Amino acid sequence: MYPLSEKREKWMVFSAWPYVNRVPHLGNLIGSILSADVAARFLRLTGADVVFASGSDMHGTPIEVEALKMGISPKELAERNHAVVKELFEKWDISFDNYTKTESPVHVKFVQDFYKKVYENGYVFDDVVQMLYCPNDKMFLPDRFVVGTCPYCGYEKAHGDQCENCGRLLEPTLLINPRCAICGATPIIKSTRHWFFDLPKLSEELERYVEENKNLPANAKNMSLQMIREGLKPRSLTRDNKWGIPAPFPGAEGKTIYVWMEAVLGYISAVKEYFEERGEPERWKEFWFDKDTKTVYFIGKDNIPFHVIIFPALLMASGEGYVLPWTVAATEYLLFKGLKFSKSKRHGIWIDEALEVFPVDYWRFVLIALRPEVRDTNFTWEEFARIVNNELNDAIGNYIHRVLTLAYKRYGRVPEPSRVDAEAEKLHETIRGYVESIKESMYKFRFKEALSKIVQLAGEGNAYLNRTKPWDLGDEEAAPVLYAALHLVKALAIMLSPIIPRSAQRVWEFLGYSDRVEERLWDEALEPPEPGLPLAKPEPLFHKVSQEDIEEAVAKIEEKREKKGAGLF
RNA sequence: AGCGGGGUGGGGAAGCCAGGUAUCCCGCGGGGCUCAUAACCCCCUAUGGGGGAGGAGGAACCCCGAGGUCGGUGGUUCGAAUCCACCCCCCGCUACCA
């Protein structure tokens, strides 16, 4: 299928690793995993050699604390949650080549080997620091796990890093009456030794990398350059947590690697693991050590500095020649009815709830249509219904269905266009123009823009049918007209397959194909279907959602939360 | 507080870097059209649903129309959404949440 003479482009598509102390919500999904899935599916359609990987981030204090409360081991809790999340992603049709976890033996070993190398190369030093310690729980407390009274506004539940009430940044030592967030005991100050990553040493190299990388989006580039120029600080690598990957530095027995600093290395270890499982243990190097491999990381806007500064710095410090990020695709936030998603306030929709009330393709379509590419974007049920009804059902579904029905009833197969029709020729031309333009948007990871062009193209198809009125024509005259209309159906199936893979496959089969549309190539959308293909009896692809459907869905979600709470396992 | 992003008719976006009649999609009001979809109807049913017929209103599609002076103020200019200054609002980051 792929031209052998041409070297296939190599791509690695990554999404931020979800932290599995809660079920991801729709905002988490669109920012990273769903967007990455659309990208991976699109890139495969272009004929590229693609690896799409991610995994569960399992270590760290929140899970350790939660397990403690539940009276089970952190590993048991994390594994349990990982299994749930993994299954949910399958239900969302996320086409991971490898969805793994930070407890994977491949990852653990990789992280330790990696940091040994970074240590040997002189980028790690240790120092003694003063930290808050809870004598009752016998653990050091991250700032976040200390609560107390805000010295500025008097709010009594201020966290050690920031007061949620007045928004001021704090130090835990500034809190009046500080308490351990877990047990309420008064923490004491205790000294402990930690290991640090010498980020400043790489400032110049990082600045050059960011400046010269033409593919980074402007917002990521500006923010990162600014941070580098203001001066980077060493970054702490270790924690006193028990639940984590043991730090491999001499004298660091009992310390673990800080979750963030190890989870990012999952981008590499997950690819390594993927090829090992396929019995090609050396092939991951073809991807990670080839500077022509393109990598794209789908993340929320809060994650930019980690991916544009710290992760590249780690890659540099290893001295192994890993390919640096080609670009990052950072989204703004999806809001729910104007406010941020919040588990404690039960505000939002979680990815397990969503699938219980509407089909997966409705959600995928709506989320891509609302993808916050430029600014925070609001999800409301009214918007959901509008997009499903007007765009998915009326513009796209209705066009496809009316064309398939007309052709099926009249010919039962894709007709032979035995004569030339000027309107039909124009439509073929229009389709080809859109296919190219939508491809460009997809390559820029502007999925919202791409989707809006697809909807527009379906509108062109509807207008074309209105003008040509094939139902008034004889079989002979209608053939070229419907042939062009079927070309558009085929093009829509191919171009929609990254976004709504299930529905695209159904259309593909209605057209008479028996293979998988996702195994075809994007450019096949330029060509009409083969005359003579036996059409299958078409069925409506989607249904409109009514006000009552929405009310039912909301009630069903509420009911579920009575039992289980929002975003909980 | 500093830094980054954003503020464009009711909703969503483009235009801004390289100043010159404010653009597109949706929504709203009026009109046109009927191949598809769906209510009512008929048949079958293991009551979940399945099949047939039909074609009002409405939807797709087409035409016409209403609605914004581009967050605010000031400046540069013959001319500012676009350039400059100051200010306001929203979001993020500021290194021990992940």
Side-chain angles (χ1 to χ4, degrees), chain A residues 66 99 246 481:
Chain A
E66 182 68 23
Y99 185 79
V481 172

Side-chain angles (χ1 to χ4, degrees), chain A residues 41-253:
Chain A
R41 288 173 179 275
F42 164 71
L43 290 166
R44 290 186 195 114
L45 278 178
T46 67
D49 200 354
V50 178
V51 178
F52 173 29
S54 187
S56 297
D57 187 358
M58 291 180 140
H59 300 131
T61 311
I63 285 178
E64 195 172 326
V65 170
E66 182 68 23
L68 202 72
K69 278 187 202 159
M70 293 170 70
I72 57 175
S73 74
K75 183 171 171 73
E76 192 184 341
L77 176 63
E79 290 287 357
R80 197 192 283 177
N81 294 355
H82 166 73
V84 173
V85 168
K86 187 173 179 179
E87 196 190 331
L88 279 170
F89 290 154
E90 280 164 18
K91 287 188 182 157
W92 276 85
D93 289 332
I94 307 299
S95 63
F96 287 122
D97 292 303
N98 187 19
Y99 185 79
T100 182
K101 56 192 179 183
T102 53
E103 263 293 278
S104 147
V106 175
H107 178 73
V108 172
K109 177 164 191 322
F110 182 84
V111 167
Q112 292 185 324
D113 291 345
F114 187 95
Y115 277 111
K116 270 182 215 156
K117 195 86 195 172
V118 173
Y119 182 87
E120 283 162 18
N121 291 344
Y123 288 99
V124 178
F125 64 90
D126 61 275
D127 199 2
V128 173
V129 293
Q130 308 293 311
M131 282 198 63
L132 289 171
Y133 181 85
C134 174
N136 182 36
D137 292 320
K138 297 192 173 44
M139 64 186 285
F140 285 93
L141 299 171
D143 293 355
R144 191 77 204 165
F145 282 81
V146 181
V147 292
T149 304
C150 173
Y152 301 103
C153 71
Y155 181 63
E156 287 179 8
K157 288 176 187 165
H159 286 257
D161 52 351
Q162 186 171 25
C163 172
E164 279 73 7
N165 189 44
C166 66
R168 288 200 195 239
L169 295 179
L170 304 173
E171 294 291 328
T173 48
L174 292 175
L175 289 173
I176 299 161
N177 186 23
R179 300 181 304 281
C180 166
I182 303 159
C183 69
T186 305
I188 57 170
I189 292 173
K190 196 171 161 180
S191 62
T192 177
R193 181 171 296 272
H194 277 299
W195 278 253
F196 293 84
F197 177 47
D198 198 347
L199 202 50
K201 231 178 177 174
L202 290 154
S203 284
E204 280 177 34
E205 210 176 326
L206 280 168
E207 187 170 351
R208 218 174 314 125
Y209 158 71
V210 175
E211 233 167 29
E212 288 170 6
N213 188 334
K214 299 279 177 285
N215 310 301
L216 289 177
N219 59 351
K221 192 168 195 155
N222 292 342
M223 187 193 288
S224 304
L225 277 178
Q226 194 58 38
M227 285 180 76
I228 295 168
R229 284 169 189 160
E230 278 175 10
L232 299 170
K233 290 188 229 160
R235 187 100 192 179
S236 124
L237 272 176
T238 51
R239 291 289 182 277
D240 287 298
N241 294 10
K242 293 175 202 70
W243 176 230
I245 297 179
F249 312 121
E253 292 72 24

Side-chain angles (χ1 to χ4, degrees), chain A residues 191-391:
Chain A
S191 62
T192 177
R193 181 171 296 272
H194 277 299
W195 278 253
F196 293 84
F197 177 47
D198 198 347
L199 202 50
K201 231 178 177 174
L202 290 154
S203 284
E204 280 177 34
E205 210 176 326
L206 280 168
E207 187 170 351
R208 218 174 314 125
Y209 158 71
V210 175
E211 233 167 29
E212 288 170 6
N213 188 334
K214 299 279 177 285
N215 310 301
L216 289 177
N219 59 351
K221 192 168 195 155
N222 292 342
M223 187 193 288
S224 304
L225 277 178
Q226 194 58 38
M227 285 180 76
I228 295 168
R229 284 169 189 160
E230 278 175 10
L232 299 170
K233 290 188 229 160
R235 187 100 192 179
S236 124
L237 272 176
T238 51
R239 291 289 182 277
D240 287 298
N241 294 10
K242 293 175 202 70
W243 176 230
I245 297 179
F249 312 121
E253 292 72 24
K255 310 276 176 183
T256 53
I257 304 275
Y258 172 37
V259 274
W260 225 97
M261 302 301 271
E262 53 108 334
V264 280
L265 299 182
Y267 294 130
I268 308 171
S269 71
V271 174
K272 188 166 186 273
E273 183 182 79
Y274 169 64
F275 282 114
E276 280 177 11
E277 281 173 3
R278 284 170 42 126
E280 304 173 280
E282 295 301 307
R283 258 198 85 199
W284 68 280
K285 294 179 184 167
E286 289 176 27
F287 279 80
W288 269 104
F289 294 127
D290 181 345
K291 61 181 188 322
D292 291 329
T293 302
K294 291 178 179 167
T295 56
V296 55
Y297 300 77
F298 287 85
I299 57 179
K301 61 178 162 180
D302 52 337
N303 250 332
I304 290 171
F306 285 100
H307 286 79
V308 179
I309 297 178
I310 296 170
F311 182 54
L314 286 172
L315 297 178
M316 290 169 182
S318 77
E320 303 268 21
Y322 290 104
V323 63
L324 299 176
W326 188 76
T327 192
V328 299
T331 47
E332 303 287 312
Y333 283 164
L334 185 70
L335 305 178
F336 183 69
K337 297 183 183 170
L339 298 169
K340 276 190 275 187
F341 283 71
S342 158
K343 183 173 68 170
S344 56
K345 293 179 191 132
R346 290 180 165 202
H347 185 76
I349 303 171
W350 277 261
I351 70 170
D352 51 344
E353 302 169 337
L355 292 186
E356 287 183 15
V357 293
F358 289 109
V360 61
D361 277 355
Y362 288 24
W363 286 109
R364 290 180 60 116
F365 190 94
V366 169
L367 289 173
I368 294 297
L370 289 175
R371 187 165 183 261
E373 292 182 359
V374 186
R375 53 184 76 90
D376 291 350
T377 303
N378 206 7
F379 177 97
T380 61
W381 284 109
E382 291 72 32
E383 273 293 286
F384 176 87
R386 186 189 70 70
I387 292 167
V388 169
N389 293 343
N390 299 352
E391 299 182 9

